[in-house]
Amino acid sequence: MSDFAPYSLLIQHAAQVLTLAGGPADQLLAGAAQSSWTIIEHGYVACVADKIVAVGPMSELNPAHIGPKTRLIDASGCVVMPGLVECHTHLVFGGNRADEFERKLRGETYLDILASGGGILSTVRATRAASEADLLANALHHLDGFRRYGVTTLEAKSGYGLDRDTELRLVRVARAAGQQQPVRVVPTFLGAHVVPPEFKEAGPQAYVDFLLREVLSDLKGEAAFVDIFCEEGAFPLDVAQYYLEQAHKMGFGLKIHAEQLHDLGGCEMAAALGATSVDHCDYLTPAAASRIARQTQGRTVAVLLPLVPLFLRQQQFAAGREFIDSGLPVALSTDFNPGSCPSKNLWLAVSVACLKMGLHPKEAVAAVTLNAAWAIAQQHDCGSLEPGKRADVLVLNVGSVAEIPYWLGENPVREVIISGEIQQG
């Protein structure tokens, strides 16, 4: 851009601009850095086409860049921040599990329902029966809801097919949904969600061998990550380790659902293999978190999902405060899915993380922006307001970062900008 090229979009007079910049270069925000990033008081964000080109205080704004075609947004009294990054969702599925919600209210546990053929297996039956067109329509509906909450980039896991054709279809639908609306979608392969009925007798090892032999080779270029649910009733630690080791040799990035309901050691195992993220972590001990932080030198992010224990009426929440204090980078997500978190409200997850996991407001904001972008390897393109990054920007109806988790359950979004385009509706 020349010195006096006009801005295509200028968001100005913001009460606060939450840049998420100013931390260690090319690193996750860990420890004190998760809350020491830069806030600009009375600031602006300027864009040309789909990129951010300038961020700063209003006193440094050069009016020569404002032309007759510059779109102006007055953000007086408002917070301006990066678009939210949703780093753990199960976007594509058929049906719902409202009937199981009532069973949970009557005292049945998550694992009780799964053992009876419900839970994930219930959604597998509905998903296998759904047409590709219906799955795509549902995914687009949910993405529109996420966009209204200010989500501009989203990870979408498969995992409700548990056979070759349906699993590949779920990844295909996720990619198609990302191409048909503005929110960017990053597919992850979670074929190892639970053992399907067809492999009940053969067992978990036989099923992951099937995935490695029959499915993963068709996912090259379609999904960057593989994931596995390491938990009682799903996949034991040794099988999860074998599967992730083999997937890594095939060139996939690694993720794991672990320590959601029991402490089986899955998080430490996956981190030792170089996992990009370890997710859930409700039963991950602070001592283990500290070991992960030291062993990975802050390269593995813990993705915490506070709405899941809330919805399942569990008492155990991840020890987020201790994780951050030990140097383990923390991200947050809803875990949107039909069974344990039918909510797209990432702002509510931010509030619950502060209330039940001990995060502070600036830490929680970092957890749904830059650290969440790292969790899905999108950190070079989104998650902070810096020149050169995609122009994914939110204008919020709050005046300070402290207000974001304070208004419990409210959606503070006034404007959503994706790739420099103001979204309507």
Side-chain angles (χ1 to χ4, degrees):
M1 190 178 89
S2 66
D3 287 345
F4 294 98
Y7 299 142
S8 56
L9 177 67
L10 176 63
I11 306 164
Q12 58 183 340
H13 303 299
Q16 289 185 338
V17 177
L18 313 185
T19 68
L20 276 297
D26 295 322
Q27 291 185 32
L28 281 154
L29 297 176
Q34 187 148 349
S35 61
S36 62
W37 44 267
T38 302
I39 295 177
I40 298 172
E41 305 287 341
H42 195 219
Y44 74 93
V45 178
C47 312
V48 172
D50 64 345
K51 299 295 184 185
I52 297 169
V53 295
V55 182
M58 288 298 297
S59 60
E60 297 179 5
L61 175 64
N62 186 344
H65 289 291
I66 303 173
K69 294 185 179 179
T70 303
R71 298 189 71 176
L72 301 175
I73 294 179
D74 183 357
S76 296
C78 295
V79 163
V80 172
M81 66 174 286
L84 300 183
V85 179
E86 250 290 10
C87 60
H88 183 129
T89 83
H90 303 253
L91 178 72
V92 187
F93 58 86
N96 66 64
R97 305 221 293 268
D99 59 322
E100 293 179 7
F101 178 61
E102 188 169 358
R103 291 173 65 182
K104 290 169 188 170
L105 295 178
R106 291 174 175 166
E108 291 187 68
T109 70
Y110 181 85
L111 291 179
D112 289 339
I113 293 170
L114 179 62
S116 72
I120 294 167
L121 295 175
S122 172
T123 299
V124 168
R125 291 190 292 272
T127 302
R128 288 179 177 181
S131 70
E132 188 159 332
D134 285 343
L135 291 172
L136 178 58
N138 287 339
L140 290 170
H141 167 75
H142 294 311
L143 283 169
D144 185 61
F146 275 114
R147 179 181 58 81
R148 293 169 189 270
Y149 279 117
V151 171
T152 58
T153 299
L154 174 143
E155 187 228 31
K157 300 180 188 294
S158 70
Y160 290 124
L162 306 187
D163 60 29
R164 181 183 181 279
D165 291 345
T166 311
E167 283 296 316
L168 293 175
R169 182 161 70 245
L170 296 181
V171 173
R172 187 167 62 245
V173 167
R175 291 180 68 85
Q179 294 163 356
Q180 294 185 25
Q181 49 73 61
V183 178
R184 271 164 298 276
V185 175
V186 178
T188 287
F189 179 65
L190 181 59
H193 203 174
V194 294
V195 178
E198 298 87 346
F199 282 83
K200 184 176 181 180
E201 296 301 323
Q205 183 66 51
Y207 179 58
V208 299
D209 283 336
F210 160 76
L211 293 177
L212 292 165
R213 183 179 65 250
E214 303 289 342
V215 186
L216 261 63
S217 60
D218 290 325
L219 287 164
K220 292 293 185 69
E222 300 296 317
F225 296 99
V226 298
D227 199 342
I228 189 168
F229 187 20
C230 179
E231 184 54 76
E232 292 183 12
F235 294 90
L237 183 65
D238 59 338
V239 174
Q241 179 170 346
Y242 166 79
Y243 178 69
L244 292 179
E245 287 173 341
Q246 299 307 309
H248 186 60
K249 290 177 183 177
M250 296 176 70
F252 290 96
L254 305 181
K255 292 176 167 288
I256 192 169
H257 286 53
E259 273 71 79
Q260 178 184 355
L261 302 169
H262 303 90
D263 182 7
L264 302 183
C267 289
E268 284 195 86
M269 176 274 291
L273 295 178
T276 301
S277 73
V278 293
D279 298 34
H280 283 287
C281 307
D282 292 316
Y283 284 82
L284 178 66
T285 67
S290 183
R291 290 193 295 270
I292 291 171
R294 290 195 307 272
Q295 293 166 0
T296 67
Q297 297 182 324
R299 292 190 298 270
T300 296
V301 57
V303 176
L304 310 186
L305 309 167
L307 299 186
V308 173
L310 178 70
F311 188 76
L312 296 179
R313 300 195 303 168
Q314 295 168 343
Q315 301 303 310
Q316 183 83 11
F317 286 78
R321 173 78 272 129
E322 290 85 351
F323 294 175
I324 291 173
D325 290 344
S326 71
L328 182 63
V330 166
L332 295 171
S333 175
T334 58
D335 190 16
F336 172 70
N337 73 82
S340 60
C341 185
S343 173
K344 307 175 189 75
N345 190 343
L346 192 50
W347 304 108
L348 180 59
V350 164
S351 297
V352 176
C354 291
L355 292 168
K356 302 295 287 185
M357 295 177 171
L359 274 67
H360 301 157
K362 285 187 72 176
E363 294 168 339
V365 168
V368 292
T369 51
L370 190 56
N371 279 6
W374 275 92
I376 53 174
Q378 299 293 305
Q379 67 274 13
H380 300 299
D381 220 17
C382 64
S384 62
L385 301 179
E386 299 179 83
K389 286 202 171 182
R390 274 197 314 255
D392 294 350
V393 189
L394 305 181
V395 180
L396 307 184
N397 284 315
V398 296
S400 72
V401 66
E403 285 190 61
I404 291 174
Y406 169 74
W407 296 107
L408 186 65
E410 289 196 16
N411 182 3
V413 172
R414 196 189 87 181
E415 263 109 14
V416 178
I417 296 99
I418 301 180
S419 292
E421 296 292 329
I422 302 170
Q423 302 299 304
Q424 304 299 320

